[in-house]
């Protein structure tokens, strides 16, 4: 009536309709609303709401919108799908509008199940192209029984049911991921245009998904008519559901008891235990959510920390407490309905960031946006470690009381089945490295199921790519994901790092860093459908193919030697090979699960544009926050990704696309023209690879990076087959990589002409390859030993490739030790597969010595700078602020039991090495001696490390890690400068540390920017600025003369003599120094892989020297006793800067292979 017949009285008709609806909802009309009722009222709102084409205001309609209607629909238990399918909707357009309106309301209310239901309803009624149409599902990692022949090869595979594997056999972690991604896929259909709401759904808590999954599993068994719980008691998910039901009731009861106890304590005016009340923290989340968090966190920690079938108690309690804190803060953010700023600074044509005016404008805009955001949020302060442990202890103790499993065993004598209820978790103690360690162990039945359904790596939905541009970074802890709190830096429990970062952020000195992270996060990506189809086909085949491990390990088990019991050497060889085989088997399964994640995520985001929010580690290096599928990942991850925007190739872009293909294939040490010619010679192979990747000759599989090579083959073939190849719209990223980038920075810092030539800073007709150069030197030395019949020379002759020595050469200037070099080379020799595993260690020892000898004076300039950095860091770590030194020497000592003989100033050595990057980012090295605090819990006494408690620094780590950390901070600065300049010029940019990516047509522009920013960085006297910062920051710091006993102090003899230190004291230090060198040479530690994301602990380089003559031993107590009250100013003994060489950094402009 309001629409057609009596539209003149529209307001009257609508008033009556809404009034009648209100009476029905309030119970005055004595009738129950139906799906038709809600459909009519939803239609009325769609047609006549204030934002519609015919807005009509009525008093009875106030307060009604899709959210209020959906709330009533849910409370009346009416299916939303029936509402949108009602006959009241006469057109497809109105039905679609109704679905979208209810879906938006469902996302706002956090009802992901309603979004699922509406997505299914929409998919049944529309004929729109779906990106996932005809895309098969990925077969998950199944439980497979393997039968092998006598020679160890696989003869037969048996699964419980034929592929595809039924849902019940999907590993727990993958099941969780699939259910969550299933919601994302359904939401695509109903929220295709509203990406912000889809992103909100994507960030919904994992716990909501988990409870639905466990409940569904338990209901399934009940539907199958299995009342006897023992018949399905071995199912992990069913156990977890029953634990959850009992635990949430137990938590509610225990919280009520605790509240009564705390009220009594407060009434009696007594101080509660540990001085804190626990119930305010436990009431932040509902018991249902607390129960799920506790169960999932403990299951995830299974097998962690070197504890078999269990976990360390302290780690478990902290993890549960931290998970409760994170979930509460996530819920708070969602409730606030934050309006997210969408503007990203430094668009093309805007004010240049690098001018002072542009910087002030950038800071002002960011401060205003941050103030607006903070006004909309109600964040609590960070929880202390004590609170986390107490909350975790309360919840874990409740779980251990209620969680049980039923185990059955058959009596061999009577044949009777005996069943028993047993605890699912129990507390125990183990000894590790001589220390008594409290652990929480899993019942053997639970541990057995965990080995078949691994959940240790369950993917949290907050770690998925984003569907909208990330929230701009407004402060150090506000940016990235829209509704989940993330930090601009990965602190690793270092309070000191967080304080320095917060201070710099509040002072407005991090604007360029935040802007750089915004640039990296705003780069759009999409899934490469052509490559994904090939990956999925290979994955589902279960075969080993191009770095994808097989579904079943295909390497034969080592054969047991018949003389093993009598021949110790044969026994040792067999055990070594058996261990390697077991490790390879476990690694195969782990790799398979990791790739399974990538495939599932890629499938879910087919057809979408995605974004990867970034943050930095403590050195300033940028990383994507989503860990599983990103461009910093492996070859497969990179091959699956394209830029979300296309650009025409152009003539130069087509050339760079060909060069890129040659680089990926491994033909990257030739000139550019030769690389282009290489592609022309293999055009037939390229076409075959693109058109028949699996059925053809498979030329692409022989590439160094096969999946990226396949993506490039497909893109190049499409471009060449298009009517105008130079006009082809290309989305493939093309890389420009630095040549041993750490050495490039060292050569530029020191003006080292020889080193610059080796790493392509100087112009040349062909690219230099320092790794091949060293490998040839090593081979030449091995040939000399071969002539003398050396055992390992015979074993290694002709096997020292560029790859074997690459990592050791790259890390030599970072301070790699002999032990570290040996470990690196041993890994490479094992990967070759043509050297017996039991001989790899001794062969690596021989080869490491050769590599270190061959490098010699090749990087002399870099070595001098490294020594200067190391010495400065060692002195800083030994220093003490003057005010603290005076206080420690004058304050009265309060004796607590046994008197310590240690000088008091030793407890004041808390000075970290701190410096500021050219972009203003403060870098604080976190290496400290850990202090532990004892906390009493219901399970045991837990010792936790509190980052807020001051502790002395680890001076050895501070010194050895400073050179690589400083160089990494420089390459991070160079990358950020390049990113900002690329954004200012409208160039798409992404990076993997020292590998810079853009469209093929933009390579020449980006190359010019890379060189300009590198020259600008190193034209600013970086080392001089660092030395000046040290002198200002540590101006009033003192170094105890006794603390200067250690490596590297010989060079300070002249400085000490100038400071009126007596010759006898200097002689005493020199003798103790020589003794420390002898001891230090025996206790070298290795170097971790520089490619790892973890912090790098590098030790001093130790040369192999002749055994010195015995000296009179100098006791440390003698040194400390004699020099206990002698101190020198730190700034007076800082070593002078190394003399700079003749290389001019501006010559890089002429080097075409600097980045290539």
């Amino acid at each position: 009536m309001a629409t057609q017949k009596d539209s003149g009285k529209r307001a009257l008709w609508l008033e009556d309709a809404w009034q009648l609806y209100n009476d029905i909802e309030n119970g005055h009309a004595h009738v129950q609303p139906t799906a038709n009722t809600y459909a009519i009222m939803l239609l009325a709102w769609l047609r006549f709401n204030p934002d519609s084409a015919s807005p009509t205001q009525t008093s009875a309609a106030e307060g009604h919108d899709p959210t209020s209607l959906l709330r009533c629909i849910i409370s009346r238990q009416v299916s939303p799908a029936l509402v949108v399918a009602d006959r009241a909707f006469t057109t497809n357009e109105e039905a679609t509008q109704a679905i979208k309106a209810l879906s938006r309301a469902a996302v706002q209310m956090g009802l992901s199940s309603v979004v699922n239901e509406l997505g299914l309803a929409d998919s049944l009624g529309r004929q729109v192209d779906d990106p996932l149409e005809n895309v098969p599902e990925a077969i998950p990692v199944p439980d497979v029984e393997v039968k092998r022949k006598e020679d160890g090869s696989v003869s037969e595979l048996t699964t419980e049911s034929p592929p595809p594997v039924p849902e019940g056999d999907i590993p727990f972690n993958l099941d969780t991921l699939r259910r969550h991604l299933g919601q994302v896929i359904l939401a695509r259909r109903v929220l295709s245009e509203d990406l912000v709401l889809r992103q909100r759904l994507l960030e919904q808590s994992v716990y909501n998904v988990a409870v639905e999954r466990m409940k569904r599993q338990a209901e399934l068994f009940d539907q199958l008519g299995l009342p006897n719980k023992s018949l399905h008691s071995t199912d992990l998910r069913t156990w977890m559901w029953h634990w959850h039901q009992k635990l949430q009731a137990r938590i509610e009861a225990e919280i009520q008891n605790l509240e009564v106890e705390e009220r009594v304590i407060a009434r009696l005016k007594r101080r509660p235990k540990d001085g804190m009340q626990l119930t305010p923290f436990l009431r932040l989340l509902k018991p249902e959510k607390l129960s799920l968090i506790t169960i999932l966190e403990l299951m995830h920690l299974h097998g962690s920390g070197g504890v078999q079938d269990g976990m360390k108690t302290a780690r478990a309690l902290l993890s549960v407490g931290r998970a409760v804190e994170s979930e509460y803060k996530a819920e708070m953010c969602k409730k606030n309905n934050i309006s997210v700023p969408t503007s990203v600074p430094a668009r093309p044509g805007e004010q240049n960031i690098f001018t002072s005016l542009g910087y002030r404008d950038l800071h002002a805009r960011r401060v205003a946006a941050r103030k607006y955001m903070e006004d909309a949020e109600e964040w609590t302060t960070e929880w202390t470690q004590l609170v986390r442990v107490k909350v975790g202890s309360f919840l874990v103790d409740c779980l251990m009381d209620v969680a049980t499993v039923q185990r059955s065993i058959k009596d061999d004598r009577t044949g009777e089945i005996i069943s028993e209820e047993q605890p699912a978790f129990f507390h125990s103690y183990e000894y590790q490295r001589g220390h008594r360690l409290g652990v929480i162990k899993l019942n053997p039945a639970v541990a057995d199921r965990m080995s078949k359904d691994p959940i240790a790596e369950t993917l949290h939905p907050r770690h998925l790519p984003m569907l909208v541009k990330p929230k701009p970074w407004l402060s150090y802890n506000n940016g990235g994901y829209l509704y989940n709190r993330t930090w601009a830096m990965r602190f690793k429990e270092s309070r000191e790092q967080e304080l320095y970062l917060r201070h710099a952020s509040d002072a407005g000195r991090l604007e360029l860093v935040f802007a750089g992270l915004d640039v990296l996060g705003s780069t759009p990506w999409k899934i490469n459908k052509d490559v994904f189809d090939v990956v999925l086909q290979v994955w589902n085949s279960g075969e080993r193919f191009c770095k994808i491990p097989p579904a079943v390990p295909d390497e034969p088990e080592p054969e047991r030697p018949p003389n093993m019991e009598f021949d110790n050497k044969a026994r040792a060889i067999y055990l070594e090979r058996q261990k390697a085989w077991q490790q390879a088997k476990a690694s195969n399964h782990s790799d398979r699960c990791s790739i399974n994640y990538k495939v599932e995520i890629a499938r879910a985001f087919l057809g979408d544009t995605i974004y990867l929010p970034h943050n930095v580690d403590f050195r300033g290096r940028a990383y994507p926050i989503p860990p599983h599928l990103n461009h910093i990942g492996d070859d497969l991850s990179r091959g699956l990704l394209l830029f979300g925007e296309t650009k025409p190739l152009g003539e130069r872009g087509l050339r760079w696309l060909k060069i890129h293909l040659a680089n990926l294939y491994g033909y990257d040490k030739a000139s550019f023209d030769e690389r282009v010619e290489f592609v022309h010679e293999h055009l037939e192979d390229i076409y075959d690879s693109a058109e028949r990747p699996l059925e053809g000759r498979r030329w692409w599989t022989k590439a160094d990076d096969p999946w990226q090579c396949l993506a490039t083959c497909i893109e190049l073939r499409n471009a060449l087959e298009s009517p105008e190849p130079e006009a082809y719209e290309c989305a493939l990223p093309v890389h420009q990589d630095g040549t041993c980038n750490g050495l490039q920075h060292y050569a530029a810092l020191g003006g080292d002409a020889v080193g610059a030539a080796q790493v392509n800073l100087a112009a040349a007709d062909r690219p230099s390859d320092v790794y091949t150069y060293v490998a040839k030197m090593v081979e030449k030395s091995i040939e000399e030993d071969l002539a003398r019949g050396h055992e390992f020379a015979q074993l290694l002759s002709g096997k020292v490739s560029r790859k074997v020595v690459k990592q050791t050469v790259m890390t030599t200037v970072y301070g790699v030790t002999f032990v570290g070099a040996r470990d690196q080379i041993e890994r490479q020799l094992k990967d070759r597969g043509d050297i017996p595993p039991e001989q790899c260690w001794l062969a690596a020892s021989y080869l490491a010595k050769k590599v270190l000898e061959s490098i010699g004076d090749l990087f002399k300039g870099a070595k001098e700078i490294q020594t200067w950095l190391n010495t400065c860091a060692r002195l800083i770590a030994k220093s003490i602020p003057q005010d603290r030194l005076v206080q420690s020497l004058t304050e009265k000592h309060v004796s607590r039991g046994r008197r310590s003989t240690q000088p008091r100033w030793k407890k004041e050595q808390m000075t970290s090495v701190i410096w500021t990057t050219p972009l203003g980012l403060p870098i604080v090295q976190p290496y400290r001696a850990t202090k532990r605090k004892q906390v009493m819990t219901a399970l045991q006494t837990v010792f936790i490390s509190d980052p807020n408690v001051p502790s002395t620094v680890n001076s050895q780590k501070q010194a050895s890690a400073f050179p690589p950390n400083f160089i990494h901070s420089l390459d991070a600065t160079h990358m950020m400068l390049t990113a900002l300049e690329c954004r200012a010029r409208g160039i798409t940019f992404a990076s993997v540390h020292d590998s810079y990516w853009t469209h093929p047509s933009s390579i020449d522009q980006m190359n010019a920017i890379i060189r300009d920013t590198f020259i600008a960085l190193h034209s600013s006297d970086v080392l001089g600025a660092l030395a000046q910062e040290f002198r200002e920051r540590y101006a009033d710091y003192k170094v105890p003369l006794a603390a200067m006993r250690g490596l590297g102090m010989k060079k300070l003899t002249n400085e000490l003599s100038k400071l009126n230190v007596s010759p006898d004291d200097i002689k005493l230090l020199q003798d103790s120094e020589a003794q420390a060198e002898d001891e230090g040479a025996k206790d070298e530690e290795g170097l971790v892989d520089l490619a790892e994301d973890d912090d790098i602990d590098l030790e001093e380089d130790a040369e192999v020297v002749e055994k010195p003559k015995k000296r009179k031993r100098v006791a440390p107590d003698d040194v400390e006793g004699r020099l206990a009250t002698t101190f020198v100013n730190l700034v007076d003994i800082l070593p002078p800067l190394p003399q700079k060489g003749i290389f001019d950094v501006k010559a890089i402009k002429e080097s075409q292979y600097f980045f290539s």
Side-chain angles (χ1 to χ4, degrees), residues 274-542:
D274 297 305
M276 59 169 286
Q277 290 189 337
L278 201 57
T279 51
F281 296 95
L282 294 170
R283 285 298 188 191
L284 294 175
L285 296 176
K286 294 179 180 179
E288 179 189 30
K289 189 67 68 72
L290 291 173
S291 170
L292 284 165
I293 290 173
T294 308
I295 294 171
L296 291 177
E297 285 298 322
L298 251 63
M299 302 301 270
H300 299 171
L301 288 172
H302 164 251
S304 63
V307 180
Q308 185 175 5
D309 294 337
M311 67 218 73
K312 296 177 182 177
T313 305
R315 181 176 182 182
L317 303 188
L318 278 171
S319 296
V320 172
R322 191 177 290 111
V324 172
E325 177 188 13
S326 299
E327 184 62 21
Y328 162 66
K329 292 182 177 180
E331 286 195 353
M332 285 291 295
C333 197
K334 293 171 188 174
K335 289 177 181 177
N336 286 333
N337 294 321
I338 300 170
S339 177
V340 181
T342 57
S343 61
V344 178
R347 288 197 183 103
E350 288 190 358
Q351 184 74 47
N352 191 325
I353 288 177
F354 297 101
T355 65
S356 59
L357 179 62
Y359 186 90
R360 288 198 298 271
D361 178 56
L362 180 68
H363 178 52
R365 281 185 291 168
R366 198 178 298 279
V367 168
R370 184 178 68 193
K371 180 69 169 61
Y372 173 75
M373 298 286 287
E374 289 175 348
D375 288 344
E377 296 182 7
E378 299 175 4
W379 290 98
T380 61
T381 56
E382 293 293 310
W383 291 11
T384 64
Q385 294 285 68
L386 178 62
V387 171
R388 291 168 180 160
V389 166
K390 285 292 185 181
V391 170
S393 173
F394 177 90
L395 296 173
V396 172
D397 187 43
C398 290
L399 174 63
M400 294 179 68
D401 278 350
V402 301
T404 60
V405 294
Q406 189 175 69
R407 299 187 68 187
S408 300
I409 189 172
K410 183 178 180 181
D411 192 321
D412 294 335
R413 295 174 299 172
T414 63
E416 180 184 1
I417 301 295
I418 303 174
S419 298
E420 181 184 50
E421 286 283 331
Q422 296 182 354
F425 305 90
F426 62 93
H427 183 261
S428 180
Y429 289 94
E430 288 185 356
Y431 284 89
Q432 283 192 5
R433 298 177 182 175
H435 296 284
R436 192 167 182 247
L437 180 70
V439 296
I440 297 174
K441 303 280 281 188
L442 275 63
N443 187 292
V446 179
D448 179 63
R449 289 308 307 169
M450 292 286 288
S451 66
K452 298 176 181 176
D453 292 343
I455 66 171
E457 298 174 357
T458 299
L459 179 64
H460 199 296
R462 295 174 199 158
H463 294 160
L464 292 171
M466 297 182 68
L467 294 165
V468 296
K469 286 187 179 181
K471 183 199 305 183
W473 285 99
L474 306 177
S475 69
Y476 77 102
N477 63 351
N478 194 341
Y481 286 103
L482 304 189
Y483 305 104
N484 289 297
R485 175 61 59 97
T486 46
W487 280 259
M489 180 179 282
R490 306 176 182 198
F491 299 120
K492 291 196 173 181
E493 299 291 342
S494 174
R495 182 68 174 166
E496 193 177 13
Q497 288 178 352
E498 183 178 356
L499 290 174
Y500 272 88
L501 188 73
R502 183 173 66 188
H503 179 73
S505 175
D506 293 343
R509 295 198 293 266
L510 297 183
E511 301 311 308
L512 294 180
V513 175
F514 291 154
L517 290 175
D518 291 342
V519 170
L520 297 173
S522 62
T523 298
W525 300 88
K526 63 182 179 182
I527 303 300
N528 190 329
K529 177 70 164 53
D530 294 330
V531 174
F532 175 80
D533 290 341
V534 180
V535 171
L536 188 59
Q537 186 176 347
V538 171
W539 173 263
N540 285 343
S541 73

Side-chain angles (χ1 to χ4, degrees), residues 775-776 778-784 786 792-804 829 832 834-835 846-847:
K776 289 180 178 178
V778 173
E779 274 287 1
K780 184 177 180 181
S781 178
I782 289 177
E783 291 299 323
E784 295 174 359
L786 185 62
F792 290 109
Q794 296 173 352
L795 181 66
L796 294 170
S797 179
K799 298 177 182 178
V800 182
S801 63
R802 175 183 185 271
K803 186 177 181 181
V804 170
L829 294 180
R832 285 184 61 91
D834 55 359
I835 297 174
Y846 167 79
L847 196 55

Side-chain angles (χ1 to χ4, degrees), residues 445-691:
V446 179
D448 179 63
R449 289 308 307 169
M450 292 286 288
S451 66
K452 298 176 181 176
D453 292 343
I455 66 171
E457 298 174 357
T458 299
L459 179 64
H460 199 296
R462 295 174 199 158
H463 294 160
L464 292 171
M466 297 182 68
L467 294 165
V468 296
K469 286 187 179 181
K471 183 199 305 183
W473 285 99
L474 306 177
S475 69
Y476 77 102
N477 63 351
N478 194 341
Y481 286 103
L482 304 189
Y483 305 104
N484 289 297
R485 175 61 59 97
T486 46
W487 280 259
M489 180 179 282
R490 306 176 182 198
F491 299 120
K492 291 196 173 181
E493 299 291 342
S494 174
R495 182 68 174 166
E496 193 177 13
Q497 288 178 352
E498 183 178 356
L499 290 174
Y500 272 88
L501 188 73
R502 183 173 66 188
H503 179 73
S505 175
D506 293 343
R509 295 198 293 266
L510 297 183
E511 301 311 308
L512 294 180
V513 175
F514 291 154
L517 290 175
D518 291 342
V519 170
L520 297 173
S522 62
T523 298
W525 300 88
K526 63 182 179 182
I527 303 300
N528 190 329
K529 177 70 164 53
D530 294 330
V531 174
F532 175 80
D533 290 341
V534 180
V535 171
L536 188 59
Q537 186 176 347
V538 171
W539 173 263
N540 285 343
S541 73
E543 299 176 359
R544 180 187 295 276
F545 189 86
C546 280
K547 301 181 183 180
I548 294 181
V552 180
D554 52 5
E555 294 185 5
E557 184 175 358
E559 187 175 342
R560 186 184 181 95
N563 61 339
M564 178 176 164
E565 301 298 330
F566 313 104
D567 189 335
N568 288 335
K569 184 176 181 180
R571 175 185 174 85
I573 292 174
Y574 168 75
L575 291 177
E576 180 72 22
R577 293 182 177 180
Q578 181 72 13
K579 180 182 177 182
W581 180 78
Q582 291 286 0
Q583 290 175 342
K585 184 179 177 182
S587 177
N588 185 88
H589 184 268
S590 176
D591 293 343
R592 187 87 180 163
C593 290
S594 176
I595 293 174
N596 208 345
Y597 280 140
K598 295 178 175 64
V599 174
E600 290 287 352
I601 295 171
R603 185 179 185 277
F605 289 99
L606 280 175
D608 279 322
T609 297
I610 58 177
Y611 299 87
L612 302 172
H614 283 61
N615 62 5
V616 298
D617 67 4
F618 79 92
R619 300 164 297 188
R621 297 190 110 186
Y623 295 87
I625 299 174
H628 294 280
L629 181 64
N630 60 57
H631 59 292
I632 288 188
D634 57 8
D635 172 53
L636 176 63
S637 298
R638 299 180 186 187
L640 285 170
L641 292 172
L642 295 171
F643 283 138
E645 301 169 339
T646 62
K647 290 187 178 181
L649 274 177
E651 181 182 354
R652 292 291 296 175
L654 184 59
R655 173 182 169 84
W656 277 114
L657 189 62
K658 296 173 182 177
I659 294 172
H660 181 58
L661 178 54
N663 291 343
L664 293 171
Y665 202 82
Y667 192 73
D668 57 345
K669 300 308 169 190
S671 67
F672 288 144
D673 289 338
E674 289 171 340
R675 297 182 214 182
V676 173
E677 186 59 32
F678 170 84
V679 171
H680 290 165
E681 292 173 356
H682 290 88
L683 274 179
E684 186 179 343
D685 293 322
I686 293 168
Y687 269 69
D688 180 73
S689 298
E691 295 170 355

Side-chain angles (χ1 to χ4, degrees), residues 123-152:
S123 65
L124 293 174
R126 65 163 56 209
Q127 301 295 325
V128 179
D129 291 339
D130 189 338
L132 294 182
E133 188 176 0
N134 299 324
V135 177
E137 289 194 359
I139 297 175
V141 183
D143 296 332
V144 182
E145 181 183 351
V146 185
K147 294 183 179 179
R148 300 181 183 271
K149 299 177 182 178
E150 293 183 358
D151 61 357

